[in-house]
Amino acid sequence: MSACKRLLYLVKQRSVWTQVGRNVTTWSPVGAAFNAKPHRRLDLFEKNVGLFGVPELSCPAGFQAATKTALKNTQRLVQKACSCPSGAETVESFDQLSDGLCKVADLADFIKVAHPDPAFREAAEKTCIEIGTVVEKLNTNVELCRSLKNLLDNPNIVAQLDPDTRRVAELFMFDFEISGIHLDDKLRKEAVGLHVKLLDLNNEFLVGSHMPNRIARSAIPEHLHLQFASEGSFIQVGGLHADSPDDFVREIAYRIYLYPNADLMNCLEELLKCRHKLAKLVGYESFAHRALKGTMAKTPETVMSFLQLLTDKLSDRTAKDFKMMRGMKKKLNPRNAELMPWDHPYLSGVLRAERYNIEPSLYSPYLSLGACMEGLNNLFSQLYGVSLMSEHPSAGEVWSEDVRKLAVVHETEGLLGYIYCDFFHRADKPHQDCHFTIRGGRWCQETSQYQLPVVVLMLSLPHPSRSAPTLLTPGMMENLFHEMGHAMHSMLGRTRYQHVTGTRCATDFAEVPSILMEYFATDYRVISQFARHYETGQPLPESMVARLCESKKVCGAADTQLQIFYAVLDQIYHSKPQNCSTTDILKDMQQKFYGLPYTPNTAWQLRFSHLIGYGAKYYSYLMSRAVASMVWKQCFVQDPLNRDMGERYRREMLAHGGAKEPMLMVEGMLQKRPTIEDFVDALVSELNPNFETFIMDSES
């Protein structure tokens, strides 16, 4: 393209977006920033400040320099931690040590999956490995452990520590213990060997769980070939095709994608054996007992009681849901009416759509990305006195030109931190929505200032078109609110130690702030403040919001029961060895905790990638939802924009990160300690009609 044509093209693009801008002149600055196309940088002489403003990271080689600096500081801080007098200064040294490594490792952990340049990804991967190796050595450093043990073994010193410092010291000691620090040399070496082996097995399983399966083209009917990717004489199946209206396509995808891979099966079996062996070696009854220490649930027995009671309370509703699905399948396909596992996601969606007419395209024009960001800004302003302010990143600060930077500013406390919004789809970018901590918040004794937290929110939204901004489906909007819940957990926390900053807390508590945001995202009093048509400015009708809320309850019991099945499977895999295959366990648990028949020659567990990051903790989603439901109903359902309640929520739950026992935070918010029965009742009550539709009509 010639320079003249390129200039003409840019002028045309600008005129298109000026016209769109005229339609939405009422957007706030943050809304306008997300509904506009990003501007290309034209200042070729602006200094490259490096990724996230880290000067070394202006090029891939900078990771090596940053790693070298971090490791040099590590040596100094290890010596300081080992030599300083026992007390709060010891814990402070440990936290500085952790912070120095995390600031490089966490950043690298993000860049290795998100940066479009392979050279940056490769350099970041090397940094992750190098720092991971150092962390493993530190966790088995006897002298370092002894300095902490001397502190915790001295009642007089412990009595002088504030609660946060004592908890952080205990958490650091827990890290030592699970690494086998207390074992003799021979057993400690065995523990280190198991740790190293598990790193490889975890990676192998994670990669393998997402690999497609393939089958000869001749094995499936020719008219279905176009439904799948082709690879020479093979058909490649990379997912379950759960939304396909064709029963046969869903069945083929299910049978092929879940067909057992012998190598991956061996990997999973070995991984579970190693986890159990390591847990036993360091003094736990099972891997689940080790994983659940410090959580709300505390023990596998409590988790299983929760899942069993929830199953019992849902059984009648689940049976009704499956009956409805069978009826719909018979209606759609009278010749093959048996309900199978590949039918559940599709038929529940059909039933929701038929009953409530919730076609996403009807909602999207009201949910431009800018509108949703404006809604979040309004919500945070009213609840916490916090504003989201769009900032123009410096040269080299972000990894893609469509990444937006937000400063989070409190009306009296000032700047709280930064959120980088990597919202748009691009090649080689993970398709999952997630939150990354890049830098944790902590009080810096050395500078007498608070180290501001920095996070990234990653989504995979469609790019804006020439004629319209990015438009979100209701599901995309809820995901945005969910991930922003994690971000505000990081921003509003003001922990003294970065080891427990923001989302660095018990897994079954970490999802509470994000799930709670989903309730705000479906309340009309919140939605009415921002959801309006991007062209006409018309508000989203209240009746459409009510339909959307009620539709979620259709087949809700069956959907919950499926999650219970996954959580039970995770618990059983991480309990004592069962002396049978993972597939035999799956068959048994599927029959007891799900109800739809097992399909021979399938191994769903080989696609259960959550076994890596959420081993023995998959139940956390359900328990966090129960807590979020209780907080919503007790504290926000009467007035979701109540400032006093927002401040109480920040004070009791968000401010502490992981510095306070999770159940104590829940108790502080609810003014009572909930029981397992309370958790179960909260989840069951969500399925009752009109739970979420507490809307303005009901107040008149």
Side-chain angles (χ1 to χ4, degrees):
M1 189 185 287
S2 70
C4 181
K5 285 182 178 177
R6 191 182 298 117
L7 182 61
L8 185 61
Y9 176 79
L10 288 171
V11 169
K12 283 181 178 177
Q13 287 290 87
R14 188 180 180 89
S15 68
V16 167
W17 279 92
T18 304
Q19 182 61 44
V20 173
R22 287 196 198 105
N23 293 330
V24 291
T25 51
T26 54
W27 297 131
S28 68
V30 74
F34 280 84
N35 266 356
K37 278 196 165 186
H39 297 289
R40 279 186 183 275
R41 289 192 168 277
L42 297 176
D43 186 354
L44 301 177
F45 302 102
E46 189 178 351
K47 184 184 175 185
N48 186 323
V49 301
L51 292 167
F52 298 102
V54 179
E56 296 95 329
L57 301 184
S58 58
C59 64
F63 272 102
Q64 193 174 356
T67 304
K68 189 176 179 181
T69 302
L71 296 184
K72 187 176 179 181
N73 287 334
T74 296
Q75 291 175 345
R76 177 179 57 81
L77 288 166
V78 166
Q79 290 172 354
K80 181 182 174 185
C82 292
S83 59
C84 69
S86 281
E89 189 182 349
T90 308
V91 183
E92 178 70 31
S93 297
F94 269 81
D95 196 62
Q96 283 183 41
L97 178 58
S98 172
D99 181 56
L101 291 169
C102 285
K103 275 194 285 198
V104 180
D106 290 343
L107 191 157
D109 214 30
F110 169 71
I111 292 299
K112 76 177 185 182
V113 298
H115 205 292
D117 184 343
F120 268 99
R121 293 201 302 269
E122 189 178 324
E125 175 72 38
K126 285 179 180 175
T127 287
C128 288
I129 293 168
E130 195 168 346
I131 290 187
T133 303
V134 171
V135 170
E136 288 295 332
K137 287 179 180 175
L138 290 175
N139 283 340
T140 54
N141 184 317
V142 176
E143 189 182 356
L144 193 60
C145 177
R146 191 180 296 122
S147 68
L148 193 63
K149 194 171 189 312
N150 289 342
L151 182 156
L152 290 169
D153 285 348
N154 189 323
N156 295 327
I157 295 175
V158 170
Q160 295 171 27
L161 301 178
D162 63 85
D164 286 8
T165 301
R166 179 174 177 174
R167 179 167 172 81
V168 170
E170 289 168 347
L171 289 171
F172 277 123
M173 181 53 73
F174 175 64
D175 289 340
F176 279 122
E177 288 172 352
I178 63 174
S179 297
I181 194 78
H182 54 293
L183 304 173
D184 62 37
D185 286 349
K186 183 185 174 187
L187 292 177
R188 189 162 62 247
K189 282 180 183 175
E190 187 180 350
V192 171
L194 285 167
H195 270 293
V196 172
K197 187 175 181 181
L198 278 168
L199 287 174
D200 291 337
L201 288 169
N202 287 345
N203 188 58
E204 183 185 341
F205 184 78
L206 203 53
V207 171
S209 67
H210 292 106
M211 291 294 286
N213 274 345
R214 62 182 198 166
I215 192 171
R217 292 169 68 88
S218 57
I220 64 173
E222 192 172 343
H223 71 282
L224 296 178
H225 287 183
L226 290 176
Q227 301 287 334
F228 304 101
S230 289
E231 186 190 345
S233 60
F234 292 92
I235 292 291
Q236 200 174 75
V237 182
L240 291 172
H241 290 249
D243 295 329
S244 173
D246 189 320
D247 292 4
F248 197 31
V249 169
R250 294 197 306 275
E251 180 179 353
I252 287 171
Y254 190 93
R255 290 182 181 276
I256 296 171
Y257 188 60
L258 300 185
Y259 190 79
N261 175 297
D263 290 339
L264 199 58
M265 187 75 80
N266 290 335
C267 173
L268 177 59
E269 303 272 2
E270 187 62 24
L271 187 154
L272 296 175
K273 281 179 191 169
C274 284
R275 282 182 173 177
H276 181 73
K277 190 173 182 181
L278 181 59
K280 291 286 284 183
L281 195 62
V282 298
Y284 290 89
E285 197 176 323
S286 69
F287 180 83
H289 285 86
R290 177 192 135 172
L292 296 180
K293 185 173 179 179
T295 61
M296 283 196 292
K298 293 193 181 330
T299 68
E301 292 77 19
T302 302
V303 173
M304 288 302 292
S305 296
F306 167 62
L307 297 172
Q308 183 64 64
L309 185 59
L310 186 53
T311 296
D312 295 343
K313 289 271 184 96
L314 287 176
S315 61
D316 289 345
R317 296 178 196 236
T318 303
K320 286 178 185 174
D321 286 354
F322 284 143
K323 186 177 179 182
M324 276 198 305
M325 288 185 215
R326 285 189 183 93
M328 178 56 74
K329 186 167 185 184
K330 191 172 183 180
K331 179 179 168 184
L332 296 174
N333 187 357
R335 290 178 299 175
N336 186 16
E338 185 184 2
L339 188 65
M340 299 300 288
W342 52 81
D343 295 320
H344 177 161
Y346 175 71
L347 293 178
S348 59
V350 169
L351 286 162
R352 277 191 280 271
E354 181 182 70
R355 191 169 298 184
Y356 290 106
N357 186 25
I358 50 163
E359 170 57 41
S361 62
L362 299 174
Y363 290 82
S364 292
Y366 299 93
L367 301 174
S368 70
L369 177 57
C372 295
M373 293 304 296
E374 184 174 290
L376 286 162
N377 188 41
N378 289 341
L379 178 63
F380 297 149
S381 176
Q382 290 170 86
L383 285 179
Y384 314 120
V386 161
S387 297
L388 305 176
M389 297 189 174
S390 181
E391 285 195 3
H392 198 56
S394 301
E397 186 177 353
V398 295
W399 48 100
S400 178
E401 66 178 18
D402 55 13
V403 173
R404 308 294 209 279
K405 180 184 179 183
L406 294 176
V408 181
V409 182
H410 190 272
E411 59 192 16
T412 59
E413 297 171 35
L415 181 63
L416 297 182
Y418 292 101
I419 303 171
Y420 289 83
C421 301
D422 187 356
F423 284 172
F424 300 103
H425 170 80
R426 65 175 175 271
D428 294 330
K429 177 183 173 183
H431 288 291
Q432 63 199 78
D433 300 340
C434 42
H435 161 276
F436 292 85
T437 297
I438 302 299
R439 184 176 71 202
R442 75 178 183 100
W443 177 254
C444 299
Q445 297 275 21
E446 56 272 31
T447 61
S448 296
Q449 289 183 319
Y450 197 79
Q451 176 174 287
L452 298 178
V454 175
V455 304
V456 174
L457 293 190
M458 182 186 278
L459 306 176
S460 197
L461 302 177
H463 287 271
S465 66
R466 290 188 63 192
S467 58
T470 293
L471 303 178
L472 277 59
T473 64
M476 290 174 184
M477 185 263 283
E478 281 186 45
N479 287 348
L480 171 62
F481 272 61
H482 178 104
E483 297 304 333
M484 194 58 82
H486 284 309
M488 293 310 289
H489 195 181
S490 295
M491 295 296 116
L492 292 171
R494 273 302 177 264
T495 53
R496 178 176 170 183
Y497 301 104
Q498 70 80 37
H499 193 63
V500 288
T501 185
T503 55
R504 288 176 183 161
C505 56
T507 307
D508 55 6
F509 181 82
E511 291 296 327
V512 173
S514 52
I515 293 173
L516 183 63
M517 282 296 293
E518 295 174 23
Y519 292 92
F520 288 100
T522 50
D523 187 285
Y524 186 71
R525 293 161 295 179
V526 176
I527 293 177
S528 63
Q529 292 200 331
F530 69 88
R532 56 193 188 278
H533 201 286
Y534 76 98
E535 288 182 313
T536 66
Q538 290 295 308
L540 178 65
E542 188 173 349
S543 60
M544 288 177 69
V545 179
R547 288 205 311 269
L548 190 65
C549 291
E550 286 301 301
S551 73
K552 292 171 183 289
K553 300 166 193 174
V554 177
C555 299
D559 292 345
T560 302
Q561 195 59 52
L562 182 58
Q563 293 303 309
I564 293 169
F565 161 51
Y566 295 159
V568 168
L569 192 64
D570 174 43
Q571 285 300 306
I572 302 299
Y573 282 166
H574 290 104
S575 64
K576 296 173 186 175
Q578 303 293 303
N579 296 320
C580 56
S581 72
T582 55
T583 302
D584 289 337
I585 294 170
L586 180 137
K587 283 185 201 172
D588 190 27
M589 294 305 112
Q590 185 164 332
Q591 190 225 328
K592 289 177 182 173
F593 287 94
Y594 186 34
L596 296 188
Y598 167 76
T599 305
N601 293 317
T602 62
W604 180 85
Q605 73 273 23
L606 300 185
R607 301 297 182 181
F608 195 8
S609 58
H610 282 82
L611 289 173
I612 302 307
Y614 283 80
K617 296 179 183 178
Y618 191 82
Y619 78 92
S620 296
Y621 291 109
L622 288 168
M623 194 166 278
S624 288
R625 182 165 292 282
V627 173
S629 174
M630 294 170 78
V631 170
W632 173 257
K633 282 186 276 189
Q634 188 171 316
C635 306
F636 291 107
V637 77
Q638 294 297 327
D639 179 6
L641 304 172
N642 184 291
R643 177 66 179 268
D644 289 339
M645 200 56 76
E647 292 292 353
R648 180 172 141 196
Y649 175 53
R650 180 187 181 187
R651 185 174 64 250
E652 296 292 347
M653 295 186 78
L654 297 180
H656 306 287
K660 195 173 179 181
E661 189 184 329
M663 195 61 92
L664 288 177
M665 291 189 271
V666 175
E667 188 177 348
M669 189 67 195
L670 299 177
Q671 302 292 288
K672 65 169 256 186
R673 179 171 281 252
T675 63
I676 291 298
E677 288 76 13
D678 292 330
F679 289 157
V680 168
D681 289 343
L683 291 172
V684 172
S685 70
E686 283 199 343
L687 301 175
N688 295 332
N690 300 320
F691 164 62
E692 287 177 345
T693 51
F694 187 95
I695 49 181
M696 293 174 185
D697 281 354
S698 67
E699 296 172 346
S700 56

